[in-house]
Amino acid sequence: METTSSPWRRFDAWLAQPRSARSVVVWLSLYLAVAANWPLWTELARIGGAPSIYLPQVALMTLLTVCGTVALLALTAWSRWMKPLWFAVVVVAAVAQHFMLSYHAVMDPSMLANAMQTDLHEARDLMGWRLLFHVVLASALPAWALWRMRVVPMGLLSQAWRNALLLVAAVSLAIGGALAMNRQLAPLMRNNVHLRYMINPLASIYSVSSVALKPLFKHSRKLIPISGGTVLGASYAAQARPPLFVLVVGETARADHFGLNGYARDTTPALAAHKVLSWRDVHSCGTNTLASVPCMFSPVGKAGFEARKDDYENLMDVLQAAGLAVFWLDNQPGGCKGVCDRIPHAFAFDRLAPEAKTALCDGDECLDDVMLQGLDERLAALPPERRDKGVVLVMHQMGSHGPAYYKRSSPDAKRFMPECKTNALAECSHAELVNGFDNSIAYTDRFLGKTIDWLQAQSGRYDTALLYLSDHGESLGEYGLFLHGVPYSFAPEVQKHIPMVMWFGPQMRERARLSSGCMEAGLDAALTHDNLYHTVLGVMDVRTPTYKAGLDALASCRGVG
């Protein structure tokens, strides 16, 4: 008696039929277009608004995605031994879709480069069951299909011309579709540049390849010295006390979430109590740490830094060449991104007392207060002949690094509740997400307040000052975006608008001949990371050929009144 087989058995039998590697590539491309591009389809629907507008766009982008993936995979359509590579492409697409769905990130080269610089502890915050679920959901079916499919072997020459024909056909179809709908496609892609980085898996493969292969095709950078001719200014000749300047490099802080800048919540009471100066219109060099930190310490500014063919010495090299004691203290496991390579530096959790590590750290990831531990001893350990001239101490914060904002503040500093307690930001309400972020800002405020207290305690021996400046901002769900790292040209304002705060002890203000009234009157001036290099040199009275008074944020207030 003949029985009807189940749909699953019929599907399994179909998979087991002999087929060419090219047919596998075509079926896999169709699957990926449907199963791994939901962020792209939903973004097109959001942009288009009405179905009559976005449905044709979805159809065209589907055609382009399928054809592009087929063209790429046609280069691999050789034999059954390509199955692991094909499955790897599926996994890459699944992981990329997870981050686009969860954080609305785009897979551009700068995002991938920043991700490759992320250390294990930072990466751990991005992992979780949701990532595993999304990967399994998108890759389970193709994994089974690839395992069951029988790829027919074929002679090398016969395979080669057929693969070439498939590639040409896919490219020709894509070009034809793009030309036929160019009137709709051209303005869509020109006005929404981020869409090109949402085409999965093409964008991810392009970005990974670009980052991985770029070092092979660029000339070896040489270090250009710029510290020649650097000397200390006249204020050092008969100084009663050497200067002690603390530069705090913030992480992921937003200017519009600082109470000092008019935010509805009082997130910065400690800084307000210390009567600091807070500039309200400051913008970053980049939207991620890898781009911003080296750029902000560079003498050539954002435009020059991004166009450079060689590397240059930075602010820390110049300060050291002047004869000052310089030290970089890091609370980011990812480090200083090369800025501190040629000066004394240390991680804050190195040689930390066990009781302090228990109170402030989770493994090698610590709250920023850890940088205040043993600070007197670190200061005393600097070379005395340099320390007697002056000290510049850089503190690199963990700050508000996401997505685990709840880890960036201690329990006694959590003033805004309830807060988001998971890395899966989509599971939290917007209010909970903002609460967690604001708690991290409030903790930064408390940390800066304690640092100023420490500086005030040094005022008998040093003329003291502090400058705080964040590396970039953060998206908290605006426009459907989370975290940071969106390409600068179309990144939202919140990823670029950053806080900048300065505090001067009275002796340091007098030493630098700065007018308090003048500085307070200039807090709405438009500044960028380009101003950091020249402003610090001006405050520290370091004379060097690369100093530009026009980029010194305080130059106009020196010697006034």
Side-chain angles (χ1 to χ4, degrees):
M1 183 176 177
E2 194 175 312
T3 59
T4 303
S5 61
S6 68
W8 173 254
R9 287 185 178 275
R10 291 197 298 271
F11 176 65
D12 185 62
W14 176 79
L15 289 177
Q17 293 175 4
R19 69 192 70 237
S20 68
R22 291 175 304 286
S23 68
V24 176
V25 161
V26 172
W27 281 111
L28 186 59
S29 300
L30 287 168
Y31 174 81
L32 290 173
V34 173
N37 278 280
W38 287 104
L40 177 59
W41 312 142
T42 55
E43 181 66 1
L44 287 171
R46 185 192 69 80
I47 294 170
S52 60
I53 296 176
Y54 70 75
L55 286 179
Q57 295 173 344
V58 167
L60 175 59
M61 293 300 288
T62 301
L63 174 67
L64 296 179
T65 300
V66 171
C67 289
T69 308
V70 168
L72 178 67
L73 295 183
L75 302 174
T76 71
W78 295 101
S79 71
R80 63 191 179 93
W81 299 110
M82 292 291 105
K83 287 184 178 183
L85 178 60
W86 294 334
F87 182 66
V89 171
V90 174
V91 173
V92 167
V95 171
Q97 176 163 257
H98 164 76
F99 285 107
M100 286 192 283
L101 286 172
S102 298
Y103 304 112
H104 292 260
V106 291
M107 300 297 111
D108 74 299
S110 66
M111 177 68 78
L112 267 295
N114 192 50
M116 290 180 179
Q117 289 279 327
T118 300
D119 70 282
L120 179 62
H121 299 91
E122 293 174 326
R124 185 176 57 194
D125 290 337
L126 297 171
M127 305 302 172
W129 69 266
R130 287 176 63 90
L131 172 60
L132 179 62
F133 173 76
H134 283 152
V135 171
V136 170
L137 184 66
S139 61
L141 180 59
W144 170 260
L146 288 171
W147 181 61
R148 291 291 292 152
M149 282 180 173
R150 292 173 54 198
V151 179
V152 177
M154 188 176 292
L156 182 62
L157 290 178
S158 179
Q159 189 81 293
W161 76 260
R162 285 177 169 85
N163 288 358
L165 184 62
L166 177 63
L167 189 152
V168 170
V171 171
S172 299
L173 185 57
I175 293 174
L179 291 175
M181 293 193 66
N182 185 63
R183 186 173 181 178
Q184 293 82 11
L185 183 65
L188 175 69
M189 301 306 289
R190 184 169 58 248
N191 297 328
N192 302 278
V193 182
H194 63 290
L195 290 177
R196 69 185 65 178
Y197 297 115
M198 299 180 72
I199 301 173
N200 204 13
L202 296 176
S204 301
I205 293 173
Y206 163 75
S207 296
V208 170
S209 302
S210 175
V211 172
L213 297 178
K214 188 176 181 180
L216 302 179
F217 295 97
K218 69 177 183 180
H219 78 287
S220 179
R221 292 184 188 274
K222 60 179 180 289
L223 182 66
I224 307 298
I226 61 163
S227 54
T230 299
V231 296
L232 296 175
S235 63
Y236 291 85
Q239 63 181 9
R241 292 170 300 275
L244 170 57
F245 186 83
V246 173
L247 171 56
V248 180
V249 179
E251 170 66 42
T252 317
R254 285 174 49 158
D256 63 343
H257 279 244
F258 266 47
L260 289 170
N261 295 333
Y263 186 44
R265 285 175 161 176
D266 186 14
T267 53
T268 52
L271 290 173
H274 282 292
K275 303 186 184 307
V276 301
L277 300 164
S278 180
W279 279 263
R280 293 179 279 267
D281 187 14
V282 185
H283 287 79
S284 64
C285 184
T287 61
N288 61 67
T289 303
L290 178 62
S292 279
V293 171
C295 180
M296 65 197 289
F297 282 84
S298 170
V300 297
K302 175 178 167 61
F305 183 81
E306 292 175 347
R308 75 198 189 286
K309 296 185 182 300
D310 293 300
D311 291 324
Y312 293 82
E313 288 184 324
N314 60 56
L315 174 62
M316 304 312 297
D317 296 304
V318 173
L319 294 169
Q320 181 168 253
L324 300 172
V326 295
F327 189 76
W328 184 291
L329 186 58
D330 222 309
N331 191 36
Q332 274 214 31
C336 67
K337 310 305 180 188
V339 175
C340 65
D341 286 355
R342 295 173 296 277
I343 66 167
H345 58 276
F347 286 103
F349 48 78
D350 290 345
R351 299 193 301 273
L352 193 63
E355 59 274 15
K357 185 170 289 189
T358 300
L360 296 171
C361 302
D362 177 13
D364 287 337
E365 190 173 288
C366 305
L367 293 168
D368 285 324
D369 275 2
V370 72
M371 290 191 285
L372 298 173
Q373 300 293 311
L375 206 50
D376 290 336
E377 290 78 9
R378 293 187 188 277
L379 193 63
L382 295 173
E385 69 280 4
R386 288 180 171 272
R387 192 178 66 235
D388 290 344
K389 294 176 183 177
V391 178
V392 177
L393 169 64
V394 179
M395 293 177 164
H396 188 195
Q397 280 189 282
M398 196 64 174
S400 300
H401 197 287
Y405 305 119
Y406 66 96
K407 293 184 178 180
R408 310 300 172 226
S409 58
S410 57
D412 60 328
K414 295 183 184 297
R415 296 162 45 205
F416 309 106
M417 301 297 285
E419 67 175 354
C420 183
K421 301 285 278 185
T422 176
N423 302 334
L425 303 184
E427 293 182 359
C428 300
S429 69
H430 182 67
E432 290 171 333
L433 180 61
V434 171
N435 285 345
F437 184 81
D438 284 350
N439 283 332
S440 72
I441 297 295
Y443 185 85
T444 287
D445 169 71
R446 193 175 76 171
F447 165 73
L448 293 175
K450 289 180 178 180
T451 305
I452 293 173
D453 291 339
W454 176 78
L455 284 170
Q456 288 178 323
Q458 310 297 318
S459 61
R461 293 179 292 163
Y462 295 96
D463 295 338
T464 55
L466 174 143
L467 168 60
Y468 165 83
L469 183 64
S470 185
D471 60 349
H472 54 76
E474 185 85 330
S475 286
L476 297 173
E478 300 90 352
Y479 311 106
L481 296 174
F482 296 92
L483 303 181
H484 53 267
V486 173
Y488 199 90
S489 59
F490 55 86
E493 176 76 359
V494 295
Q495 292 191 23
K496 299 182 285 190
H497 186 200
I498 54 173
M500 173 174 161
V501 168
M502 289 195 79
W503 170 87
F504 289 95
Q507 300 99 327
M508 186 65 167
R509 187 171 60 250
E510 182 179 345
R511 175 195 184 103
R513 300 181 300 113
L514 291 168
S515 163
S516 296
C518 176
M519 290 189 292
E520 290 170 1
L523 295 180
D524 286 316
L527 302 177
T528 70
H529 275 164
D530 289 3
N531 298 101
L532 175 67
Y533 178 89
H534 308 277
T535 301
V536 172
L537 292 177
V539 170
M540 293 302 294
D541 191 19
V542 171
R543 308 296 174 86
T544 186
T546 54
Y547 169 78
K548 297 177 182 177
L551 290 173
D552 181 347
L554 303 178
S556 61
C557 295
R558 195 165 288 118
V560 176

